[in-house]
Amino acid sequence: MTQLTKRASMALAAMLLATGLLGAPQLFAQTHAVATTATQNAEPWWKHAVIYEVYPRSFQDTNNDGIGDLNGITQHLDYLKVLGVDAIWLTPIYPSPQVDFGYDISNYEAVDPQYGTMKDFDHLVAEAKKRNIRIIMDLVLNHTSDKSPWFIESRSSKTNPKRNWYMWHDGTAPGPGHPPNNWQSDFGHSAWEYDAKTGQYYYHKFYIQQPDLNWNNPQVRKAMYGVERFWINRGVDGFRLDAITTLFEDPKMRDDLPVLDANGKQKINEFGDPQLNDTMTNNLPEVHDVLRELRKVSDSYKGRNVVLIGETYLNNIGDLKKMYGANDDELNLPMDMQIGFINKLDVGLFRQRINEAQTEIDGNLPLIVFDNHDNERWDRYGDGTHNQDIGRVLATILFATRDTAMMYYGDEIAMVTTPPTRKEDVKDPVGITGWPKNKGRDGERTPMQWNDGPNAGFTGPNVKPWLPIPPSYKQSNVKTEVADFDSMLNWYKELITLRRDNPAIKDGKNIMLNTSDNNVLSWLRQAPGQPAVVVACNFTAQPQKVSFDLSSQGITSKQAKTLMKTPGSSDPASLDSVNLPPFGVYIGQVQ
Ligand code: GLC
Ligand code: CA
């Protein structure tokens, strides 16, 4: 074990002491004071930050109703602090009928009683601030709940003043069954819902209960910018803009085009519908106007550095670049889904995409993300035999490349995707429509595994959690992993510490190395006046030996000091010969 690993483990032990899992609270206070002074520099706080996504429903239940709550998050702030988290992105906590578990909002300026009260929210923000942790809210702009007072008014009559807040259209013929065009919901079937009262259809990109807002209406914009201000005034430091690319649709209402297979035959999707491309309903240029307006609002809070993050699934790096704005006046951090969602361990593709993110977005920072509440967890990359090692490789890419890093709760303890096994157990409606091809998103939303006791410590022993606790909690849980030097938790902690303390890893140039190697992904981090760092990740199940010639980077020394390595790797004497076990990682500082 390296010195750093020991330090990391001690810090985690200190954290547990602090949170009362082991006793004696004083140790933690010190860590906290050090961290607070370290942030007084000129860079916006979110650069190089570690952003941790919390799915509040599944983090910690404090009132034994089986559903996580805001107080549960507050309770674990010390844990997140010691892990090295700079900000928490909360998926929606607003009042909601919970059809889409919060992404169907009925009131944008309140807290759902399931999760607590506004007082609990203020308390969370204040306690987080004390620890220098920021809160990022999820802002759902594309649609509201059908139970939102705005929509209730809108659907009440064709002449209601809010009628034009949503996307109402006549069908191709009177009555149901004749939608205006072929547009589809991302969650299956037609995106048009017939409303008998007024004889028109409304458009919903997502569930029927999520009617799309009409972003061409200035009143909608004004209302939403008001929501943005409301939460900044309450102390939040950023927003994750949900489904931001879907705000606009083709004004001419043209059909989306079918996707054909190699034989020219129409493809069918997992819902049994014809597969369509979504050029008429996604990523329309008008989105950029709204991004600039949102940014004007956030930037008007001078000195606050409110960050705008976008949920941006895009086709290529060129589209990602546009999201920062031609004059850097749109999103601060559009999510880069190009790297984390390659979904197979392909050295060439990772190298290409990482390089693009370093060289083709005008020097902006990519926001790299591998996991979230909509996709199978990291174990989708696993081979069934070396999953833990593969998890370490992914974490190394996330934290040791030049980026802002976004992680999902439970990644750090190697929580695995645990989908329902029976249709009757499915909670996410998309899993009911798509069963069994698409089992929905329950599998990546299971309760956080705090310990190996009843209900993994998520809720009281006799309570039924809203989703079942995965069997993996016996090994993969915070309490067990804190005490295990070789755990995923300590690997995360160590990487995050390195990223914070080592200037080359923090902000150095990111240069891909050994670019014809198909087995090992390697890169160099190089900051002016600082020792350079070499990172190598074995993408194969066989041991690999690599050597590095850094002369074209102006480095002649072959001597390196090991900063981190996975269990089973050896300390190389020289960069001429670095041995990596299957899916092994080596990080060394050139001497
Ligand atoms: C985003 C959210 C997802 C939600 C959808 C509709 O993709 O991440 O969970 O279902 O938007 O709001
Ligand atoms: Ca609760």
Side-chain angles (χ1 to χ4, degrees):
M1 192 181 56
T2 64
Q3 277 308 106
L4 202 60
T5 321
K6 267 186 211 137
R7 278 215 319 267
S9 303
M10 279 162 58
L12 276 170
M15 166 271 296
L16 280 191
L17 290 167
T19 50
L21 281 166
L22 300 173
Q26 319 81 299
L27 271 168
F28 180 70
Q30 246 174 0
T31 324
H32 173 42
V34 174
T36 316
T37 36
T39 54
Q40 290 166 357
N41 56 25
E43 277 206 320
W45 65 269
W46 46 264
K47 289 213 166 174
H48 313 287
V50 173
I51 302 176
Y52 186 99
E53 177 186 356
V54 169
Y55 199 69
R57 237 184 144 68
S58 297
F59 203 57
Q60 177 72 62
D61 176 21
T62 60
N63 66 345
N64 288 337
D65 61 359
I67 296 171
D69 39 57
L70 292 174
N71 288 335
I73 302 168
T74 310
Q75 186 180 308
H76 289 294
L77 285 171
D78 287 337
Y79 165 73
L80 296 174
K81 179 76 218 171
V82 177
L83 180 59
V85 166
D86 299 295
I88 301 168
W89 151 30
L90 295 180
T91 62
I93 54 156
Y94 316 91
S96 161
Q98 305 288 337
V99 172
D100 195 12
F101 298 107
Y103 284 95
D104 47 323
I105 300 172
S106 50
N107 177 356
Y108 282 77
E109 298 183 355
V111 171
D112 193 305
Q114 285 195 357
Y115 299 130
T117 61
M118 196 53 102
K119 206 169 147 230
D120 297 335
F121 178 81
D122 291 341
H123 182 58
L124 167 62
V125 172
E127 286 299 313
K129 201 152 273 175
K130 278 190 203 162
R131 293 163 179 81
N132 212 20
I133 295 176
R134 267 88 175 175
I135 301 294
I136 295 171
M137 292 293 267
D138 209 314
L139 200 50
V140 184
L141 300 175
N142 179 66
H143 49 266
T144 68
S145 160
D146 62 345
K147 299 293 180 299
S148 153
W150 300 345
F151 188 69
I152 292 172
E153 273 195 54
S154 181
R155 81 189 309 174
S156 66
S157 90
K158 277 180 157 177
T159 54
N160 184 279
K162 291 227 163 46
R163 184 67 171 182
N164 201 23
W165 280 44
Y166 293 84
M167 306 291 290
W168 290 99
H169 283 276
D170 290 332
T172 52
H178 306 286
N181 61 23
N182 77 345
W183 295 350
Q184 284 177 358
S185 159
D186 279 8
F187 294 151
H189 312 325
S190 173
W192 295 102
E193 180 69 5
Y194 181 70
D195 192 54
K197 179 151 190 226
T198 55
Q200 282 193 311
Y201 290 78
Y202 68 84
Y203 175 74
H204 59 91
K205 179 79 173 167
F206 299 96
Y207 291 124
I208 292 169
Q209 298 89 341
Q210 294 171 304
D212 272 49
L213 285 160
N214 174 11
W215 275 85
N216 289 306
N217 184 335
Q219 286 176 306
V220 167
R221 296 189 184 203
K222 196 170 159 228
M224 284 305 191
Y225 304 150
V227 171
E228 187 185 2
R229 286 198 193 86
F230 176 90
W231 291 102
I232 300 176
N233 292 339
R234 271 217 112 86
V236 315
D237 285 301
F239 298 94
R240 175 266 189 187
L241 305 174
D242 180 69
I244 191 67
T245 61
T246 66
L247 298 189
F248 291 90
E249 296 75 35
D250 178 40
K252 296 192 186 129
M253 306 274 294
R254 286 170 292 186
D255 276 356
D256 269 327
L257 295 176
V259 179
L260 307 178
D261 67 15
N263 304 318
K265 227 182 111 205
Q266 164 82 68
K267 277 196 187 174
I268 300 296
N269 68 19
E270 54 199 359
F271 305 107
D273 303 320
Q275 193 172 319
L276 304 178
N277 75 21
D278 58 0
T279 44
M280 299 297 157
T281 53
N282 193 7
N283 206 15
L284 272 73
E286 292 86 340
V287 168
H288 296 279
D289 304 333
V290 173
L291 292 179
R292 280 189 293 273
E293 291 175 0
L294 287 160
R295 177 72 178 266
K296 267 206 189 110
V297 174
S298 64
D299 277 358
S300 72
Y301 288 79
K302 298 259 178 285
R304 281 282 299 273
N305 285 315
V306 174
V307 66
L308 295 184
I309 296 171
E311 186 197 20
T312 41
Y313 292 94
L314 300 164
N315 291 328
N316 54 55
I317 194 76
D319 283 352
L320 183 67
K321 174 178 156 171
K322 285 187 201 144
M323 289 293 166
Y324 291 88
N327 300 307
D328 255 325
D329 51 359
E330 299 187 22
L331 295 173
N332 302 101
L333 293 172
M335 290 181 196
D336 180 330
M337 308 294 202
Q338 303 284 310
I339 297 167
F341 292 91
I342 290 175
N343 292 345
K344 56 179 178 191
L345 287 177
D346 178 323
V347 174
L349 264 182
F350 268 91
R351 180 181 295 128
Q352 181 203 324
R353 302 265 176 94
I354 292 171
N355 191 50
E356 284 174 355
Q358 298 304 328
T359 57
E360 293 182 30
I361 54 172
D362 288 340
N364 281 304
L365 272 187
L367 174 60
I368 299 184
V369 42
F370 279 85
D371 277 321
N372 60 35
H373 63 284
D374 294 325
N375 293 282
E376 283 176 28
R377 283 181 179 270
W378 65 277
D379 54 315
R380 68 190 184 279
Y381 282 94
D383 68 352
T385 310
H386 305 91
N387 282 20
Q388 288 279 323
D389 302 293
I390 291 170
R392 288 192 186 91
V393 166
L394 302 177
T396 305
I397 296 170
L398 178 64
F399 295 117
T401 53
R402 180 185 158 275
D403 67 354
T404 297
M406 176 168 268
M407 58 180 288
Y408 186 46
Y409 83 94
D411 281 351
E412 74 276 25
I413 51 167
M415 269 173 68
V416 293
T417 321
T418 315
T421 51
R422 307 181 313 171
K423 189 176 175 184
E424 54 268 40
D425 298 331
V426 175
K427 295 280 194 299
D428 181 21
V430 79
I432 299 169
T433 320
W435 191 270
K437 282 190 185 149
N438 180 339
K439 294 186 177 160
R441 298 164 292 180
D442 295 353
E444 55 266 19
R445 299 174 175 182
T446 57
M448 177 68 178
Q449 297 163 193
W450 294 105
N451 58 46
D452 59 359
N455 278 328
F458 164 70
T459 183
N462 302 316
V463 180
K464 186 167 182 249
W466 82 282
L467 281 177
I469 310 286
S472 61
Y473 83 99
K474 283 280 176 197
Q475 314 84 49
S476 299
N477 64 72
V478 173
K479 186 168 173 242
T480 304
E481 294 192 32
V482 161
D484 172 6
F485 290 149
D486 288 335
S487 68
M488 192 68 80
L489 183 53
N490 278 313
W491 184 254
Y492 265 70
K493 166 75 183 135
E494 197 176 341
L495 277 170
I496 295 172
T497 305
L498 185 63
R499 176 186 165 89
R500 194 179 53 214
D501 296 348
N502 182 297
I505 298 264
K506 185 175 180 200
D507 195 25
K509 275 191 291 182
N510 195 111
I511 301 152
M512 304 315 287
L513 298 173
N514 296 4
T515 52
S516 47
D517 187 331
N518 291 323
N519 299 316
V520 179
L521 182 75
S522 306
W523 64 95
L524 182 76
R525 303 298 311 279
Q526 205 177 16
Q530 300 290 339
V533 176
V534 170
V535 185
C537 300
N538 182 355
F539 270 40
T540 74
Q542 288 76 45
Q544 301 288 342
K545 183 173 157 177
V546 278
S547 69
F548 297 102
D549 175 1
L550 304 174
S551 52
S552 56
Q553 268 73 46
I555 299 170
T556 46
S557 167
K558 295 275 180 182
Q559 297 291 345
K561 182 180 89 183
T562 303
L563 295 177
M564 279 181 72
K565 61 188 179 67
T566 41
S569 306
S570 52
D571 281 322
S574 148
L575 288 174
D576 276 333
S577 166
V578 177
N579 289 297
L580 296 165
F583 303 102
V585 175
Y586 166 74
I587 305 179
Q589 178 164 297
V590 186
Q591 295 304 93

